[in-house]
Amino acid sequence: MTDTRRRVKVYTLNEDRQWDDRGTGHVSSGYVERLKGMSLLVRAESDGSLLLESKINPNTAYQKQQDTLIVWSEAENYDLALSFQEKAGCDEIWEKICQVQGKDPSVDITQDLVDESEEERFDDMSSPGLELPSCELSRLEEIAELVASSLPSPLRREKLALALENEGYIKKLLELFHVCEDLENIEGLHHLYEIIKGIFLLNRTALFEVMFSEECIMDVIGCLEYDPALSQPRKHREFLTKTAKFKEVIPISDPELKQKIHQTYRVQYIQDMVLPTPSVFEENMLSTLHSFIFFNKVEIVGMLQEDEKFLTDLFAQLTDEATDEEKRQELVNFLKEFCAFSQTLQPQNRDAFFKTLSNMGILPALEVILGMDDTQVRSAATDIFSYLVEYNPSMVREFVMQEAQQNDDVSKKLTEQKITNKDILLINLIIEHMICDTDPELGGAVQLMGLLRTLVDPENMLATANKTEKTEFLGFFYKHCMHVLTAPLLANTTEDKPSKDDFQTAQLLALVLELLTFCVEHHTYHIKNYIINKDILRRVLVLMASKHAFLALCALRFKRKIIGLKDEFYNRYIMKSFLFEPVVKAFLNNGSRYNLMNSAIIEMFEFIRVEDIKSLTAHVVENYWKALEDVDYVQTFKGLKLRFEQQRERQDNPKLDSMRSILRNHRYRRDARTLEDEEEMWFNTDEDDMEDGEAVVSPSDKTKNDDDIMDPISKFMERKKLKESEEKEVLLKTNLSGRQSPSFKLSLSSGTKTTLSSQSPATNLPGSPGSPGSPGSPGSPGSIPKSTSQTAAITTKGGLVGLVDYPDDDEEDDEDDDKEDTLPLSKKAKFES
């Protein structure tokens, strides 16, 4: 199995008609019991796993291409290919296939590609082959008609292709092409165009090898210049011979490699520029042409990679200071194209390819190139860098960390000698090029920002038993690189508004903020220390004053990401520096306009309210309430004030807070209709004493003392949940301009009142029967009339006060609405008795 003749690559054709590499292994043939027949088996050379197990079907059409390829289809849309390392191995397996199918191994295809109708098969079986007309000028029209008539029939296409191969017919046609051009025989040239185009659609590798040979390819291109649909012929040959120049930046000593490069370029040109765009019906008839180009590129990359002298010379000249600018530009463009070609390699070979480039010193070479003034050279170097980052970001990170360590060591020595080290890190060069991009649309900066984001993304960082790449690289990045990234931000935010506010600067700062926001989300303590120590958030919020809305929103999004972490270190920093002030100013300056800025700022404060971030809630209300209290088209700010009042009351009444905790831990649901009279309990408390809609319960029982409170509480009826409109009603009825007197009261049904904490009499409570703002109906103190069903919050009888839930209570479900819209008649009777 180690025989190199049997070494193959397995390819499958994807939906985009591109070949996907499935791995490298060794092929064998043998009888497989499960498949009941002779089969092709490919086992991976890495781990011996089975890459391919394919039965040699007697009716499957196998094709041999380019002496080292075997291609076939196993299903309607599932094409397979074996690419052999050596011709001998391909011939050996081909003989096995032909032996199973009873074919002569000299053929290049074993079966018809598509089944014919019975009638057509019978007609064609009677004639052993297709006889071509003699290759003469007078018979070009007849030849063109024969080719056109053969294309719809797969069997006739096969016979036509065999006839063209066996009689050397293509070379004779190309001789007629020269005659027609000399005689300016336009009609004959039009016929030759149709003939050559038809030969392409035969989709045969053997014919392509003749047409794309050094002696024939330019004449084939010449034939395709004379499209009958065009008034004037194209000038493809003139472009290829005079305009397109082959630049051999490093001398290629291998003549086979050089010929392969020329051939691939010209065939690619034919596919892209010369051949007309294929119709839907012709698309699959050029699949072999796609394969021809693909495998040529694979061979070129492999041959160049194996030529150590070539690569050594390439990198030596790239980094040599004596190399002139024009030569260096050619070298960089070649390296860029070389990396682009590598995308056709299978994963294992691509690993070896980039490892070879790394060993040759591609990253130090890129550092030299990126430090040059030539914009085109830097652009090509950026593209090469992007290939490396996208393929293996860890390799790039390892290089820049080693480089930083070396620079640190050198700096220590130079410091002792009082000499400054001016070496610039590769990653800092990338950041500087991003910052200094002269393109008005910042196309290069956007590309570089994407590469930086990949490099600092912890998701693609490795963690091993010995080291954690995330810890090491982020420590390096924040020490050596972050100050370079934030330099334009800090330079532009020294005052209360941006010092430069043109469109290009705003775009650049938006890119920087996007990367910083990504860091906040993924980098935990590294970015936290940097933001707090460098006061970054305050500088970012200066951009809220920008005339460019997209930049102001980027700054707001940065702060929103920080608040979303609910980290008290960040919160203390925000409060200490009063960093809500720029946001509130922007909100007020935006006025009543209903736009993205308005919505984004309200969403930030709503998040603080819903998540109940107590420190920020208190800070906002204490410092910015007067500016925000008139905003009544949303309930966000009044809701924040309500949260704030609840917090203050809990601070002033620790017993109140502990009682709520007890009740939360022991409350469970039970239908109110099942309660006994002696177990009924009612609430009598200030509306603002409740947090998240949780009422404070006062037990009412003639025979139980305070230690027995929990039993009747656990049987107390469920509370009704108010709708969103009720919150507005409650807020409007509640005086939010100042602190209310917190009160907590236990009312006994006998009329005896035990007060745990009382700062005002019950008659003055907002919500008690006698208070001016009571939502209860004064005409019917023992019931809740329909007219007040949406606003009534209290039911009274004697000294008892019942208070239903507030809409903030997230713990209660909507099912409560169905149970308790109205109290049962029997209960009303009991209340009034």
Side-chain angles (χ1 to χ4, degrees):
M1 295 297 283
T2 58
D3 190 349
T4 57
R5 291 180 306 167
R6 299 286 190 88
R7 193 166 183 261
V8 295
K9 299 174 188 174
V10 181
Y11 293 92
T12 58
L13 197 65
N14 62 27
E15 294 178 355
D16 298 324
R17 309 302 296 173
Q18 299 294 323
W19 288 101
D20 291 334
D21 194 333
R22 296 304 183 191
T24 301
H26 292 84
V27 64
S28 62
S29 62
Y31 186 83
V32 176
E33 181 65 30
R34 184 175 62 82
L35 300 176
K36 304 296 183 185
M38 293 293 290
S39 304
L40 296 176
L41 304 171
V42 180
R43 294 195 175 275
E45 64 180 0
S46 58
D47 56 8
S49 61
L50 200 61
L51 296 178
L52 176 69
E53 185 180 62
S54 173
K55 180 181 177 181
I56 303 174
N57 194 310
N59 299 318
T60 297
Y62 290 84
Q63 296 181 64
K64 185 167 76 166
Q65 303 175 6
Q66 298 185 26
D67 291 332
T68 56
L69 283 173
I70 297 177
V71 182
W72 72 99
S73 298
E74 292 221 337
E76 185 175 348
N77 292 313
Y78 188 66
D79 291 357
L80 288 161
L82 293 180
S83 176
F84 289 78
Q85 182 171 331
E86 296 183 12
K87 179 179 182 298
C90 182
D91 292 341
E92 183 181 340
I93 296 299
W94 184 251
E95 286 180 10
K96 297 284 187 182
I97 294 171
C98 292
Q99 182 180 348
V100 172
Q101 294 197 342
K103 301 291 182 181
D104 186 347
S106 62
V107 300
D108 286 339
I109 186 167
T110 61
Q111 300 286 335
D112 302 331
L113 295 179
V114 179
D115 290 338
E116 300 292 314
S117 67
E118 291 299 323
E119 182 180 352
E120 188 176 9
R121 183 183 296 277
F122 178 78
D123 291 341
D124 285 323
M125 284 175 64
S126 61
S127 57
L130 186 67
E131 186 175 347
L132 295 171
S134 57
C135 199
E136 300 172 1
L137 280 177
S138 58
R139 307 193 70 176
L140 281 176
E141 183 176 1
E142 184 182 347
I143 298 169
E145 290 177 355
L146 175 64
V147 171
S149 64
S150 299
L151 290 175
S153 166
L155 189 57
R156 288 177 64 80
R157 282 206 311 270
E158 176 66 21
K159 291 187 175 183
L160 174 61
L162 289 173
L164 290 170
E165 289 177 42
N166 297 335
E167 299 180 22
Y169 208 77
I170 292 176
K171 291 184 178 180
K172 295 177 184 178
L173 286 171
L174 296 178
E175 290 173 5
L176 284 182
F177 167 70
H178 287 289
V179 174
C180 288
E181 273 207 318
D182 292 340
L183 297 175
E184 297 183 354
N185 182 351
I186 301 300
E187 184 181 357
L189 290 170
H190 286 170
H191 289 316
L192 282 167
Y193 171 88
E194 298 292 349
I195 293 168
I196 296 298
K197 178 188 171 187
I199 293 175
F200 268 96
L201 296 177
L202 292 176
N203 210 26
R204 288 288 294 233
T205 303
L207 298 179
F208 287 159
E209 288 176 350
V210 175
M211 296 165 71
F212 299 153
S213 64
E214 188 72 25
E215 58 180 317
C216 296
I217 190 167
M218 295 305 290
D219 290 339
V220 169
I221 293 171
C223 291
L224 293 173
E225 289 180 351
Y226 292 93
D227 186 348
L230 302 175
S231 57
Q232 293 292 327
R234 301 290 189 188
K235 296 182 178 180
H236 298 301
R237 285 172 295 170
E238 182 180 331
F239 172 82
L240 289 171
T241 54
K242 296 180 180 179
T243 306
K245 299 293 184 183
F246 175 63
K247 293 184 178 180
E248 199 172 353
V249 292
I250 301 291
I252 297 174
S253 56
D254 187 348
E256 182 184 353
L257 173 59
K258 191 182 295 187
Q259 189 275 330
K260 187 73 71 177
I261 292 171
H262 283 298
Q263 183 189 59
T264 305
Y265 175 77
R266 290 166 180 169
V267 176
Q268 185 87 58
Y269 183 82
I270 290 173
Q271 182 191 44
D272 296 340
M273 304 298 298
V274 181
L275 284 176
T277 304
S279 67
V280 176
F281 303 104
E282 296 173 339
E283 182 70 35
N284 293 335
M285 298 173 78
L286 292 174
S287 60
T288 306
L289 181 62
H290 296 308
S291 302
F292 189 95
I293 295 170
F294 172 81
F295 290 112
N296 262 19
K297 288 181 177 179
V298 171
E299 285 187 53
I300 290 170
V301 174
M303 294 168 78
L304 284 172
Q305 187 181 338
E306 292 168 5
D307 191 339
E308 291 186 9
K309 182 180 183 306
F310 178 88
L311 291 177
T312 303
D313 291 347
L314 172 66
F315 284 102
Q317 292 189 37
L318 265 176
T319 54
D320 189 353
E321 294 182 0
T323 305
D324 61 71
E325 294 302 317
E326 184 178 353
K327 177 71 171 177
R328 199 186 309 274
Q329 184 175 338
E330 292 174 354
L331 290 166
V332 173
N333 287 335
F334 168 79
L335 186 56
K336 173 185 170 182
E337 192 170 354
F338 191 33
C339 290
F341 265 43
S342 73
Q343 303 306 299
T344 62
L345 295 174
Q346 60 181 343
Q348 300 96 319
N349 288 356
R350 203 178 308 156
D351 282 343
F353 172 80
F354 282 110
K355 193 169 290 184
T356 300
L357 292 185
S358 179
N359 294 337
M360 289 289 178
I362 189 170
L363 286 167
L366 284 177
E367 193 168 16
V368 173
I369 298 165
L370 287 168
M372 296 177 179
D373 296 330
D374 192 320
T375 306
Q376 291 184 339
V377 169
R378 287 207 312 264
S379 176
T382 300
D383 290 337
I384 297 169
F385 185 71
S386 70
Y387 283 121
L388 296 171
V389 171
E390 289 167 10
Y391 171 70
N392 192 347
S394 291
M395 179 179 74
V396 178
R397 285 192 283 260
E398 184 178 358
F399 168 77
V400 295
M401 285 192 290
Q402 289 176 353
E403 183 186 30
Q405 182 61 46
Q406 292 169 1
N407 282 2
D408 286 346
D409 294 342
V410 172
S411 295
K412 290 177 183 177
K413 294 179 182 178
L414 293 178
T415 302
E416 295 171 1
Q417 304 172 20
K418 298 184 179 180
I419 302 174
T420 304
N421 180 23
K422 296 183 178 179
D423 288 341
I424 299 179
L425 299 174
L426 172 62
I427 195 167
N428 284 347
L429 276 173
I430 296 297
I431 296 173
E432 287 180 9
H433 288 320
M434 182 186 90
I435 293 171
C436 302
D437 188 7
T438 56
D439 179 9
E441 298 297 325
L442 295 183
V446 171
Q447 179 189 10
L448 291 171
M449 195 278 289
L451 297 178
L452 286 172
R453 181 169 175 156
T454 302
L455 286 174
V456 301
D457 186 357
E459 293 297 321
N460 60 50
M461 294 182 184
L462 304 175
T464 62
N466 299 325
K467 64 174 184 176
T468 303
E469 184 182 16
K470 176 181 175 181
T471 303
E472 291 186 2
F473 180 75
L474 292 183
F476 151 80
F477 183 79
Y478 281 88
K479 178 181 178 182
H480 294 279
C481 309
M482 184 57 91
H483 67 282
V484 183
L485 178 65
T486 56
L489 169 68
L490 298 176
N492 208 39
T493 54
T494 53
E495 306 296 334
D496 292 339
K497 61 182 181 178
S499 52
K500 284 181 66 178
D501 204 17
D502 58 279
F503 180 71
Q504 189 166 355
T505 302
Q507 274 192 308
L508 174 62
L509 293 178
L511 282 178
V512 173
L513 283 178
E514 185 178 340
L515 191 56
L516 289 176
T517 304
F518 178 84
C519 293
V520 167
E521 185 176 2
H522 293 89
H523 287 179
T524 60
Y525 66 89
H526 289 94
I527 188 68
K528 185 195 303 181
N529 290 340
Y530 190 81
I531 288 174
I532 295 175
N533 292 335
K534 302 293 183 182
D535 200 13
I536 295 295
L537 180 55
R538 184 177 66 81
R539 306 295 283 273
V540 167
L541 291 176
V542 171
L543 301 176
M544 293 286 293
S546 171
K547 65 183 179 183
H548 300 285
F550 70 88
L551 181 57
L553 287 166
C554 282
L556 183 64
R557 184 161 58 246
F558 179 72
K559 181 172 182 178
R560 173 65 177 81
K561 186 66 71 175
I562 290 175
I563 291 176
L565 297 175
K566 298 191 284 187
D567 187 313
E568 279 304 311
F569 283 100
Y570 276 130
N571 293 345
R572 284 196 292 271
Y573 162 60
I574 290 171
M575 293 184 294
K576 181 179 179 181
S577 301
F578 293 91
L579 294 181
F580 275 102
E581 185 173 330
V583 177
V584 173
K585 281 184 178 179
F587 181 69
L588 297 176
N589 290 338
N590 190 65
S592 59
R593 282 172 292 183
Y594 179 55
N595 54 18
L596 191 56
M597 178 65 71
N598 175 275
S599 299
I601 293 175
I602 289 175
E603 189 277 335
M604 177 187 290
F605 287 110
E606 181 68 13
F607 177 83
I608 294 171
R609 186 191 72 81
V610 171
E611 296 296 323
D612 195 16
I613 305 176
K614 295 179 174 55
S615 56
L616 296 184
T617 300
H619 177 75
V620 170
V621 173
E622 288 173 351
N623 293 281
Y624 308 106
W625 171 245
K626 288 186 179 180
L628 301 171
E629 63 179 333
D630 293 332
V631 179
D632 57 2
Y633 54 87
V634 290
Q635 296 304 306
T636 295
F637 300 109
K638 287 183 170 58
L640 275 174
K641 182 66 181 296
L642 186 60
R643 290 275 196 196
F644 174 69
E645 294 293 340
Q646 293 168 354
Q647 292 173 26
R648 294 294 292 268
E649 289 168 7
R650 283 199 304 273
Q651 292 172 5
D652 293 344
N653 295 274
K655 294 181 180 179
L656 176 68
D657 199 39
S658 61
M659 177 60 79
R660 285 187 185 130
S661 177
I662 293 171
L663 297 181
R664 273 199 299 268
N665 294 334
H666 292 79
R667 184 180 58 194
Y668 69 93
R669 310 172 94 97
R670 186 165 178 177
D671 194 307
R673 282 175 285 245
T674 66
L675 299 179
E676 298 296 331
D677 290 343
E678 66 270 21
E679 294 175 342
E680 293 180 355
M681 306 178 63
W682 299 97
F683 303 143
N684 181 14
T685 184
D686 228 26
E687 288 173 346
D688 287 340
D689 282 347
M690 291 171 293
E691 178 187 12
D692 293 335
E694 294 181 5
V696 181
V697 180
S698 298
S700 175
D701 195 317
K702 296 179 181 179
T703 61
K704 291 181 169 54
N705 58 26
D706 289 346
D707 294 331
D708 298 320
I709 285 176
M710 293 321 303
D711 286 337
I713 289 177
S714 65
K715 297 179 181 180
F716 179 63
M717 71 176 194
E718 294 179 36
R719 297 165 296 150
K720 178 181 175 183
K721 184 177 181 182
L722 295 180
K723 302 291 186 279
E724 183 64 25
S725 58
E726 293 176 82
E727 180 178 66
K728 182 175 180 180
E729 187 73 25
V730 171
L731 289 168
L732 290 174
K733 290 179 178 296
T734 304
N735 181 9
L736 297 178
S737 59
R739 284 188 59 201
Q740 298 181 5
S741 299
S743 19
F744 179 88
K745 192 172 197 174
L746 272 172
S747 299
L748 303 178
S749 51
S750 63
T752 305
K753 298 180 180 178
T754 304
T755 304
L756 297 183
S757 172
S758 179
Q759 297 184 10
S760 60
T763 55
N764 295 329
L765 289 175
S768 64
S771 64
S774 172
S777 170
S780 180
S783 63
I784 303 176
K786 291 183 179 179
S787 61
T788 60
S789 61
Q790 292 298 316
T791 56
I794 300 175
T795 306
T796 62
K797 174 64 177 126
L800 301 178
V801 180
L803 188 61
V804 300
D805 201 359
Y806 282 92
D808 286 355
D809 194 352
D810 297 333
E811 297 178 7
E812 298 296 337
D813 198 71
D814 288 342
E815 66 187 39
D816 293 345
D817 296 344
D818 299 331
K819 291 184 180 179
E820 301 176 12
D821 280 345
T822 58
L823 292 174
L825 292 175
S826 60
K827 289 294 178 187
K828 292 182 182 180
K830 291 179 182 179
F831 296 155
E832 294 174 355
S833 61

